[in-house]
């Protein structure tokens, strides 16, 4: 028997029987063979999805790819957008099946699924394809636009959806009212689906602190709605700042504490308060309530605060130029220093000298006074000049030294204060050397004073104090000492001793006669030592001489 097998011959049994008289009729001898015909599989087909059918994002999808026939049975493989997705399959008899299960995502929209069937007899790969149609709503809407605006401004707002299939519709609600006839634009998304964009312009109304815009993104084929709210704060200028805690013109004493409070009410947002001292920004402590803001400044008053301008500025986004209020402080302060100048620099008897006391800035101006030996010279001079019949020796001495009394002057000083000067003119005499003159500078309002003193350096030639005796006697052979005292300014004085107007006494060898400054020592008197001894004292201002007669008594 000869045959040309076809696919229909696969699994077909062929039996050959042998009959013989010796074999029972009902039990002939026979042999059976089953053909196994190799042939290509059938074209695959897909169950579980119909072309054009819509599925939703999140839906569980089960697709079955089947191929009938084929020997050996078909190998089935799933591909998604050209990439292998699943290759596990099973066969029953001559039926092959590959089940592909998944949860639909937005990215599955327009995805191309292909099932391929193949075996060793196939001359080409057999395949079945479907394109998915996945419905999905946008995951969010994004509203953009300014966050602040002024009353009457036209505020541009834009709402854009993420991808949606079919395209989402946008609905606007502004301050509780739906916006009608809002335009929209739809463009394809690279990730699949459609992106919808809508632009509107909203006008900021008066008497409202904010403009609230709500954007809804609705996929009409799905019961899903996403929304986003955008708030535009309406900018309102704050109320002008008010400074409390100080009344201009009132007096603050240096070293005292002063608090200034600045308050601004209203405004949206609330004001930012900034303190300045003479245009220099300074720190303060701020507090905020629902309707106002305050900034407190604590000052330890010093000289720099006198006539200082303290300014509080209030501003927010609605103010182009800050609102402000200022306070100018008046601070009383005492002078910090005083110094004395002497003119001329070198004082000599018989000249006129001026003592000038300069006091540093003070508010109110400092009162200056000269004192000498506990006496206020201006008062003493006035008393002396007006009441000569009461004049004592002390008053006479003061009057003789004080020429023209005092000369007081003042000029503008630092920190809005006054610099004061007081002159004292004196007729210089020798006995004024070393005398102490004191200048007292007093701020009477604060009852604070400073004192500065000067020791008068009067230059004069040496002068000998009159000795007890101008003639001294000694016994021959006994020692004799002559001690004199001279004063002068400068106090560096050179002394020279001579005898009888002759040669200068100079010690030589083992001296018997020794001069030590104003002291003359004769260790052992001789008769020839009798005579007139002259001591001369010399400094930079001149010289003085005194004669001492020495008599020697014989034993």
């Amino acid at each position: 028997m000869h045959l040309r097998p076809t696919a229909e011959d696969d699994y077909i049994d062929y039996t050959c029987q042998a009959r013989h008289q010796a074999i029972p009729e009902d039990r002939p001898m026979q042999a059976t063979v089953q053909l196994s015909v190799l042939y290509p599989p059938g074209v695959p087909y897909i169950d579980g999805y119909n072309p054009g059918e819509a599925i939703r994002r999140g839906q569980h999808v089960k697709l079955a790819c089947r191929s009938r026939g084929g020997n050996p049975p078909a190998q089935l493989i799933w591909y998604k957008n050209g990439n292998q997705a699943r290759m596990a399959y099973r066969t029953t008899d001559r039926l092959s099946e590959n089940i592909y299960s998944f949860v639909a995502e937005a990215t599955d929209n327009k995805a191309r699924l292909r099932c391929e069937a193949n075996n060793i007899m196939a001359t080409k790969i057999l395949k079945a394809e479907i394109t998915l149609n996945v419905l999905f709503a946008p995951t969010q809407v994004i509203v953009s636009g300014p966050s602040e605006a002024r009353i009457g401004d036209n505020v541009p707002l834009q709402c854009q959806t993420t991808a949606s299939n079919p395209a989402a519709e946008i609905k606007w609600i502004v301050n509780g009212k739906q916006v009608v006839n809002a335009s929209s634009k739809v463009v394809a998304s690279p990730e699949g689906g459609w992106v919808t964009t809508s632009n509107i312009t909203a006008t900021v109304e008066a008497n409202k602190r904010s403009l609230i815009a709500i954007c809804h993104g609705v996929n009409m084929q799905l019961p899903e709605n996403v929304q986003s709210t955008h708030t535009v704060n309406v900018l309102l200028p704050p109320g002008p700042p008010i400074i409390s805690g100080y009344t201009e013109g009132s007096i603050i004493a240096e070293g005292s504490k002063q608090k200034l409070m600045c308050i601004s009410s209203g405004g949206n947002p609330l004001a930012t308060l900034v303190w300045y001292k003479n245009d220099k920004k300074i720190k303060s402590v701020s507090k905020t309530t629902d309707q106002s803001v305050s900034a407190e400044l604590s000052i330890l008053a010093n000289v720099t605060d006198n006539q200082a301008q303290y300014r509080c500025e209030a501003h927010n986004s609605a103010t182009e130029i800050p609102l402000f209020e200022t306070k100018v402080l008046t601070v009383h302060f005492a002078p910090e220093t005083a110094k004395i100048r002497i003119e001329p620099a070198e004082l000599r008897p018989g000249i006129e000298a001026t003592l000038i006391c300069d006091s540093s800035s003070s508010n109110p101006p400092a009162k200056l006074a000269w004192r000498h030996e506990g006496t206020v010279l201006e008062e003493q001079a006035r008393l002396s000049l007006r009441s000569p019949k009461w004049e004592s020796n002390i008053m006479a001495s003061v009057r003789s030294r004080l020429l023209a009394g005092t000369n007081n002057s003042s000029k503008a000083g630092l920190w809005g204060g006054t610099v004061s000067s007081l002159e004292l003119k004196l007729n210089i005499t020798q006995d004024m050397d070393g005398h102490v003159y004191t200048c007292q500078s007093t701020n009477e309002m604060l009852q604070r004073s400073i004192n500065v003193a000067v020791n008068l350096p009067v230059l004069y030639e040496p002068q000998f104090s009159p000795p007890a005796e101008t003639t001294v006697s000694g016994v021959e052979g006994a020692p004799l000492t002559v001690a004199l005292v001279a004063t002068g300014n400068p106090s560096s004085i050179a002394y020279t001793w001579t005898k009888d107007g002759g040669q200068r006494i100079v010690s030589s060898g083992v001296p018997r006669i020794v001069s030590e400054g104003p002291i003359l020592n004769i260790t052992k008197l001789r008769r020839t030592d009798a005579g007139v001894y002259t001591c001369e004292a010399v400094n930079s201002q001149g010289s003085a001489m005194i004669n001492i007669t020495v008599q020697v008594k014989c034993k």
Side-chain angles (χ1 to χ4, degrees):
M1 176 179 169
H2 295 274
L3 58 94
R4 188 181 297 274
T6 63
E8 286 77 11
D9 293 323
D10 189 36
Y11 278 123
I12 298 298
D13 292 336
Y14 286 86
T15 304
C16 177
Q17 293 182 350
R19 296 180 182 274
H20 190 270
Q21 296 177 353
I23 300 174
E25 183 73 22
D26 57 343
R27 288 183 296 169
M29 295 179 66
Q30 62 182 19
T32 301
V33 64
Q34 186 179 65
L35 294 184
S36 177
V37 180
L38 301 179
Y39 63 93
V43 177
Y45 59 93
I46 298 173
D47 288 333
Y49 182 80
N50 296 318
E53 179 184 351
I55 59 177
R56 296 183 180 183
R57 177 176 54 196
Q59 180 179 333
H60 290 269
V61 180
K62 183 178 180 180
L63 301 178
C65 177
R66 297 185 177 95
S67 175
R68 296 185 181 275
N71 188 18
Q75 179 188 43
L76 299 178
I77 300 177
W78 277 104
Y79 292 87
K80 179 179 179 181
N81 294 328
N83 299 314
Q84 191 177 95
R86 179 178 170 81
M87 64 178 299
Y89 65 96
R90 64 186 178 182
T91 61
T92 303
D93 294 332
R94 288 291 187 262
L95 176 66
S96 295
E97 182 180 61
N98 188 338
I99 305 298
Y100 179 31
S101 298
F102 59 93
V103 176
E105 300 290 343
T107 55
D108 292 328
N109 184 51
K110 294 187 179 180
R112 297 182 63 83
L113 298 182
R114 183 175 76 250
C115 178
E116 294 185 354
N118 194 14
N119 73 359
I120 59 175
M121 296 303 294
T123 59
K124 64 177 181 179
I125 296 175
L126 305 174
K127 58 186 177 181
E129 290 184 347
I130 59 173
T131 300
L132 299 182
N133 179 24
V134 180
L135 303 183
F136 54 92
T139 57
Q140 64 175 338
V141 289
I142 301 171
V143 182
S144 58
S147 59
E148 294 179 339
R150 295 179 174 85
I151 293 175
D153 286 353
N154 292 320
V155 179
L157 298 173
Q158 182 184 84
C159 179
Q160 187 176 75
T161 70
T162 54
S164 173
N165 184 36
E169 294 185 10
I170 290 179
K171 297 184 182 298
W172 286 96
I173 297 177
V174 177
N175 286 341
K177 297 179 181 179
Q178 184 172 349
V179 178
V180 296
N181 299 325
S183 62
S184 296
K185 180 181 178 181
V186 178
V187 296
S189 171
E191 293 79 19
W194 308 89
V195 173
T196 306
T197 304
S198 176
N199 294 280
I200 64 170
T201 299
T203 302
V204 179
E205 301 176 5
N207 303 320
K208 289 186 180 294
R209 297 182 65 87
S210 62
L211 182 150
I212 300 175
I214 303 174
C215 175
H216 293 267
V218 183
N219 186 315
M220 302 303 290
Q221 294 190 23
L222 299 173
E224 295 184 33
N225 172 33
V226 290
Q227 68 178 49
S228 178
T229 301
H230 183 77
T231 301
V232 179
N233 289 319
V234 179
L235 300 178
L236 301 173
I242 299 174
I243 297 177
S244 60
Y246 178 76
T247 301
E248 285 197 359
S250 58
I251 304 302
I252 305 172
E254 177 187 13
S256 62
K257 291 183 178 180
Q258 179 68 45
K259 289 187 176 182
L260 299 178
M261 178 71 77
C262 179
I263 299 177
S264 175
S265 300
N268 188 33
L270 290 175
T272 297
L273 300 180
V274 181
W275 275 102
Y276 293 87
K277 177 183 177 180
N278 294 333
D279 296 328
K280 182 179 180 180
K281 186 177 179 179
I282 53 178
K283 293 182 178 179
S284 59
V285 179
S286 297
K287 293 182 180 179
T288 302
T289 64
D290 291 340
Q291 298 296 327
S292 65
V293 62
S294 64
E296 185 178 59
L297 199 61
S298 184
I299 303 168
L300 184 62
N302 58 60
V303 295
T304 66
D305 291 316
N306 185 49
Q307 298 307 304
Q309 184 189 77
Y310 280 84
R311 182 174 79 256
C312 177
E313 290 188 356
H315 71 277
N316 67 4
S317 305
T319 56
E320 296 181 0
I321 299 176
L323 306 172
F324 66 91
E325 186 181 20
T326 61
K327 292 288 185 180
V328 177
L329 305 189
T330 300
V331 177
H332 280 182
F333 57 92
E336 294 183 355
T337 60
K339 62 180 181 180
I340 295 175
R341 296 179 286 126
I342 301 177
E343 295 179 357
E346 292 187 350
L347 302 182
R348 293 180 177 85
I351 70 170
E352 175 186 328
T354 303
L355 305 186
I356 305 168
C357 178
D358 296 319
S359 177
S360 63
S361 188
S362 173
N363 186 35
K367 179 180 179 181
L368 304 182
W370 284 102
R371 294 180 181 272
H372 177 59
E373 296 179 348
T375 303
V376 179
L377 295 184
E378 182 181 9
E379 294 178 355
Q380 185 63 64
R382 192 159 49 238
L383 178 63
S384 173
L385 294 171
R386 292 178 180 177
S387 306
K389 66 179 181 179
W390 294 343
E391 192 175 275
S392 63
N393 291 334
I394 295 177
M395 293 178 181
S397 175
V398 171
R399 187 176 65 177
S400 66
R401 296 171 182 170
L402 191 63
L403 280 179
T406 58
N407 180 22
N408 199 355
S409 65
S410 62
K411 61 182 180 180
L414 295 174
W415 318 120
T418 301
V419 174
S420 301
S421 297
L422 183 65
E423 294 182 357
L424 178 66
K425 294 186 180 296
L426 299 173
N427 280 327
I428 300 301
T429 61
Q430 177 181 319
D431 62 349
M432 294 170 70
D433 180 49
H435 281 210
V436 177
Y437 285 80
T438 301
C439 175
Q440 184 179 65
S441 177
T442 304
N443 185 309
E444 294 182 325
M445 294 295 293
L446 299 178
Q447 297 184 347
R448 298 178 191 172
S449 300
I450 56 173
N451 294 277
V452 61
V454 65
N455 195 321
L456 291 187
V458 179
L459 302 176
Y460 61 94
E461 62 189 20
Q463 291 186 353
F464 284 100
S465 299
E469 296 180 353
T470 58
T471 300
V472 295
S473 299
V475 178
E476 182 181 5
L480 178 67
T481 298
V482 179
L484 303 175
V485 176
T487 58
N489 190 13
S491 60
S492 177
I493 300 175
Y495 294 90
T496 302
W497 286 88
T498 58
K499 180 184 177 187
D500 297 329
Q503 189 174 5
R504 178 180 174 183
I505 296 175
V506 179
S507 302
S508 63
V510 179
R512 184 176 62 85
I513 301 176
V514 179
S515 62
E516 297 178 352
I519 300 174
L520 180 68
N521 286 315
I522 303 176
T523 59
K524 189 175 182 179
L525 277 174
R526 297 176 181 175
R527 293 180 183 181
T528 56
D529 291 334
V532 176
Y533 289 80
T534 301
C535 180
E536 183 179 21
V538 180
N539 69 4
S540 62
Q541 300 300 306
S543 62
M545 301 176 67
I546 190 171
N547 294 325
I548 299 295
T549 300
V550 176
Q551 296 178 346
V552 180
K553 296 178 181 180
C554 300
K555 292 183 179 179

